[in-house]
Amino acid sequence: MIKKSLLISKWTVSTPSRQQMNIRLYAVGLLFWIQKWRHNAHTRKHLAKLPYFLLRDIGLNEQQVRQHMQKKFWQ
């Protein structure tokens, strides 16, 4: 027969410490920025491949596209 105290202790949830929460928040923030940087690189690559007439439709010229392509991935 299982003791009641063992069964109860199995289902108790421990709350994470302040340090564990800080690490989790830092990790989530880091993943957010990595995702943003990848998105920037991805959209710039597609922007560089657009033909002139589509660039004109969205209000950009080739010089502006070159300026965007020279930016670092985090900008």
Side-chain angles (χ1 to χ4, degrees), residues 21-70:
M21 288 300 294
N22 287 340
I23 291 171
R24 288 179 188 174
L25 289 174
Y26 179 77
V28 168
L30 183 62
L31 289 175
F32 168 78
W33 284 108
I34 290 171
Q35 183 180 18
K36 182 178 170 87
W37 295 336
R38 289 185 70 204
H39 178 72
N40 286 350
H42 182 75
T43 54
R44 287 180 183 148
K45 185 170 73 171
H46 283 287
L47 184 64
K49 292 180 181 180
L50 286 178
Y52 177 72
F53 70 94
L54 288 178
L55 291 175
R56 191 178 62 222
D57 283 349
I58 61 174
L60 294 175
N61 58 35
E62 291 178 5
Q63 180 185 3
Q64 291 170 320
V65 172
R66 275 187 257 126
Q67 288 174 348
H68 279 290
M69 294 305 296
Q70 290 175 352

Side-chain angles (χ1 to χ4, degrees), residues 1-4 6:
M1 184 168 183
I2 299 176
K3 290 184 177 183
K4 191 174 185 179
L6 288 177

Side-chain angles (χ1 to χ4, degrees), residues 1-12:
M1 184 168 183
I2 299 176
K3 290 184 177 183
K4 191 174 185 179
S5 62
L6 288 177
L7 188 60
I8 292 173
S9 66
K10 231 183 202 184
W11 295 103
T12 57

